[in-house]
Amino acid sequence: MISSCVVSLLNKPSLFLKGSRRLHLLNKNAYINGQWVSAGSKAVFPVINPADDKVITEVPDMEAADAKAAVDAASSAFKTWKDTTAKERSYILRKWYDMCAKNTDHLAQIITAESGKPLAESKGEIVYGNSFLEWFADTARHINGEVIPSPWPNKTIMLTRQPLGVVSVITPWNFPFAMITRKVGALMAAGCTCVIKPAEDTPLTALAAAKLAEEAGVPKGVINVVTSSRKNAPAIGKVLCEDPNVGCISFTGSTHVGKILYGMASKGIKRVSLELGGNAPFIVFPSADIEHAAEHAMLAKFRNNGQACVGANRFLIHKDVFDTFVQAFKKRIAKGCIMGPGTKEGVTCGPLINTEQAKKVTGLVDDALSKGAKALIGGKPAVEIGSKFYESTILTDVKPEMKIYAEEIFGPVAVCHKFETEQEVVAIANGTRSGLGSYVFTKDLGQAFRMSRQLDFGMVAINDGILSAAEPAFGGIKESGIGREGSKHGVEEYTDIKYTLFSALDK
Ligand code: NAP
């Protein structure tokens, strides 16, 4: 949360991007029960553009009572939404998809304004995020049950999938559109309703998506958006986890907050779907195509300026190809990582999201350098561009006693380690409580299968730096989460299996 005295030093809210281009779909109110509303207290908080620290606008700083009103609205809407046909839900989701596709440029401008990512990446996020609405519009019509042969004569066993009810959707700032659509598309397809609490840094994308949902004909109360500053998030989180009308908590964010929410959800034995932090290894074996691996290292590391849960966090490179790989990687960084505001043509690396994140990345690199690590490129903040910019960096000679060795960096810093054997690299890669994404580069087919089996991660990409899409099941193991998003399994998070036994119905 930015304190009020700092806010007063910032520019007055302006509804304009640089160059006086108006942000379409910019909403300054939250969305509850089909109404665009302020907080009960009338409090607001500023949404800051991290590229220039200017205030984009202010939105309601809601509290527990507002969250309760949103849950009540979603609960009331559930009574009718659950009884709509799969075909109707599919149709509405498809219309929402069409609206988002039509408004790709407007949505992308809002993402860039509040998250700082380059416009091309923001557009990519809309295409990716929208693919979940398209996917779940189709999936809605295939949430089938089962009729099972019974062990008793003249009886029938039937299993059907029932929607869970109200889902609390709590999302992070790094993919402010996609992290919403991959949950809300699935839960709406299943027949659930929701209350969305977006991150303090990026509420505007959530409000814009809700506006398009409204225009697409999503009935009132099916989607509600409660905006709040970081200060009020715990009180709102308590309502969203503990209110008896909530059936499921669907959270994407840090493992630390995930554990708090999981604890609160356990009081009411609520269903949880948790997409948490990662610590992805990026492993390069000697048989790999090194130029290809370096190209994909750029995607796995520098997408969203390193602020991705599946971002490569530990580069584990075989000693025989270490020098060749780091040189190829360095060359690409020098040419391809162009810092600046996301609205500027040619920029590929925007700012970090906020001051805390900028301080964290700076602190991790400074600690490593002070203990003997080497920066092959980068290694310091780029204050000449803005307060939250950090140079794209490669670090070598990193040791376990350095803080950066084990942490999820969430910034544009690639830490490169050497290994000698397959057994050794599997042990290093698995030596973490995180288990989300992982990457392996090898041309040895047997090794590719062995790595797929041996890596303790929910997702393993062989010879590729990008693995997210609507079709596969996205999710982690260990402390990276519970449940899967996307794929046919995505809707299962939001349904219960009901078993009905039919007996004594024949004469
Ligand atoms: P975060 O601090 O955990 O925040 C995520 C969301 O939780 C935000 O909306 C935040 O609101 C809210 N929140 C924080 N404390 C809360 C509480 N006590 N009750 C209710 N809500 C609360 O995470 P972040 O810094 O935004 O995102 C980065 C993390 O997310 C990284 O660890 C990353 O790996 C992970 N992530 C995981 C995935 C995945 O699919 N596995 C995808 C993207 C990101 P405020 O912003 O208002 O604090």
Side-chain angles (χ1 to χ4, degrees):
M1 227 295 265
I2 295 185
S3 74
S4 51
C5 62
V6 176
V7 169
S8 66
L9 294 175
L10 294 163
N11 289 356
K12 284 258 178 307
S14 105
L15 301 186
F16 298 90
L17 275 175
K18 260 196 173 146
S20 294
R21 203 140 36 92
R22 184 175 267 282
L23 283 177
H24 290 276
L25 295 174
L26 186 111
N27 286 286
K28 298 200 293 177
N29 286 317
Y31 186 59
I32 297 178
N33 204 23
Q35 306 292 314
W36 293 92
V37 294
S38 28
S41 67
K42 305 288 176 231
V44 292
F45 69 96
V47 184
I48 311 290
N49 182 332
D52 58 13
D53 298 334
K54 287 185 180 160
V55 177
I56 303 164
T57 188
E58 290 169 334
V59 296
D61 195 0
M62 297 189 133
E63 296 174 0
D66 302 294
K68 171 81 182 126
V71 171
D72 290 348
S75 180
S76 171
F78 177 64
K79 293 189 183 108
T80 45
W81 181 250
K82 71 179 164 62
D83 291 330
T84 52
T85 63
K87 189 173 174 178
E88 283 169 309
R89 296 197 296 275
S90 169
Y91 178 75
I92 288 180
L93 279 170
R94 183 76 207 193
K95 275 191 81 182
W96 190 15
Y97 163 82
D98 288 339
M99 294 295 298
C100 293
K102 209 168 116 193
N103 285 279
T104 297
D105 287 349
H106 300 320
L107 286 167
Q109 280 163 5
I110 288 180
I111 293 182
T112 292
E114 65 179 355
S115 80
K117 66 176 75 168
L119 258 181
E121 274 199 45
S122 297
K123 285 184 195 171
E125 181 182 341
I126 301 302
V127 172
Y128 165 62
N130 214 9
S131 73
F132 289 96
L133 297 184
E134 184 185 38
W135 174 262
F136 287 116
D138 290 345
T139 310
R141 302 188 68 180
H142 302 280
I143 306 174
N144 300 328
E146 296 167 50
V147 176
I148 297 170
S150 124
W152 315 287
N154 303 322
K155 299 187 188 186
T156 297
I157 292 171
M158 184 175 80
L159 306 184
T160 47
R161 287 204 168 263
Q162 309 282 306
L164 280 177
V166 176
V167 181
S168 293
V169 170
I170 304 178
T171 51
W173 43 263
N174 61 346
F175 291 91
F177 180 73
M179 295 303 98
I180 288 176
T181 51
R182 78 180 183 184
K183 295 178 187 303
V184 178
L187 70 89
M188 279 178 61
C192 296
T193 58
C194 67
V195 177
I196 303 169
K197 194 221 90 61
E200 176 193 272
D201 296 305
T202 55
L204 300 177
T205 307
L207 295 172
K211 179 78 192 150
L212 293 172
E214 182 184 47
E215 287 175 19
V218 174
K220 70 174 187 167
V222 170
I223 294 176
N224 304 273
V225 183
V226 172
T227 54
S228 90
S229 67
R230 206 149 278 146
K231 160 175 74 70
N232 290 345
I236 287 177
K238 190 168 160 57
V239 172
L240 295 185
C241 290
E242 295 185 1
D243 190 290
N245 282 327
V246 170
C248 172
I249 293 93
S250 183
F251 171 74
T252 296
S254 63
T255 298
H256 168 70
V257 173
K259 286 180 182 180
I260 296 171
L261 303 182
Y262 196 11
M264 291 195 285
S266 72
K267 292 182 193 165
I269 320 290
K270 303 281 171 70
R271 180 78 67 83
V272 291
S273 171
L274 302 173
E275 296 289 347
L276 309 177
N279 186 358
F282 185 103
I283 302 169
V284 182
F285 285 104
S287 66
D289 175 338
I290 300 301
E291 289 298 325
H292 174 79
E295 194 62 41
H296 282 253
M298 294 294 289
L299 302 172
K301 180 72 239 181
F302 293 107
R303 190 162 62 123
N304 201 18
N305 208 18
Q307 302 170 108
C309 54
V310 286
N313 204 49
R314 297 170 291 158
F315 287 83
L316 306 172
I317 316 298
H318 192 273
K319 68 175 177 39
D320 292 352
V321 291
F322 185 87
D323 292 340
T324 321
F325 174 82
V326 290
Q327 286 312 321
F329 195 13
K330 182 179 161 184
K331 219 164 66 191
R332 281 176 169 78
I333 291 173
K335 198 163 162 226
C337 290
I338 298 159
M339 279 182 292
T343 44
K344 192 171 161 192
E345 190 71 31
V347 160
T348 57
C349 295
L352 293 164
I353 185 71
N354 53 36
T355 308
E356 292 72 33
Q357 201 59 29
K359 269 193 200 151
K360 180 188 164 188
V361 172
T362 307
L364 287 174
V365 176
D366 286 354
D367 172 73
L369 293 176
S370 73
K371 292 175 180 160
K374 292 195 182 71
L376 289 193
I377 187 168
K380 58 181 191 321
V383 281
E384 65 286 3
I385 302 179
S387 67
K388 301 180 184 72
F389 286 86
Y390 198 92
E391 293 177 350
S392 305
T393 299
I394 295 181
L395 288 187
T396 60
D397 300 281
V398 168
K399 305 273 168 350
E401 61 272 20
M402 301 172 187
K403 285 187 207 144
I404 205 165
Y405 186 86
E407 278 225 26
E408 184 187 23
I409 304 167
F410 237 56
V413 181
V415 175
C416 296
H417 307 273
K418 261 182 217 170
F419 72 89
E420 293 191 16
T421 67
E422 185 179 304
Q423 199 184 11
E424 178 197 1
V425 80
V426 168
I428 299 170
N430 288 345
T432 166
R433 287 296 304 148
S434 300
L436 192 60
S438 60
Y439 307 89
V440 177
F441 288 75
T442 179
K443 282 285 170 75
D444 175 337
L445 187 59
Q447 186 168 56
F449 273 92
R450 283 198 300 282
M451 296 305 284
S452 161
R453 263 199 316 274
Q454 290 173 21
L455 286 176
D456 294 336
F457 290 80
M459 299 174 284
V460 182
I462 308 285
N463 295 322
D464 213 303
I466 295 277
L467 43 63
S468 306
E471 289 77 2
F474 187 102
I477 59 170
K478 300 194 276 186
E479 293 189 10
S480 286
I482 295 174
R484 292 294 178 268
E485 293 189 329
S487 80
K488 67 172 185 177
H489 302 290
V491 290
E492 291 166 8
E493 303 295 315
Y494 305 109
T495 60
D496 272 323
I497 294 176
K498 179 178 277 178
Y499 158 38
T500 309
L501 177 68
F502 293 92
S503 181
L505 290 173
D506 47 355
K507 58 181 171 61

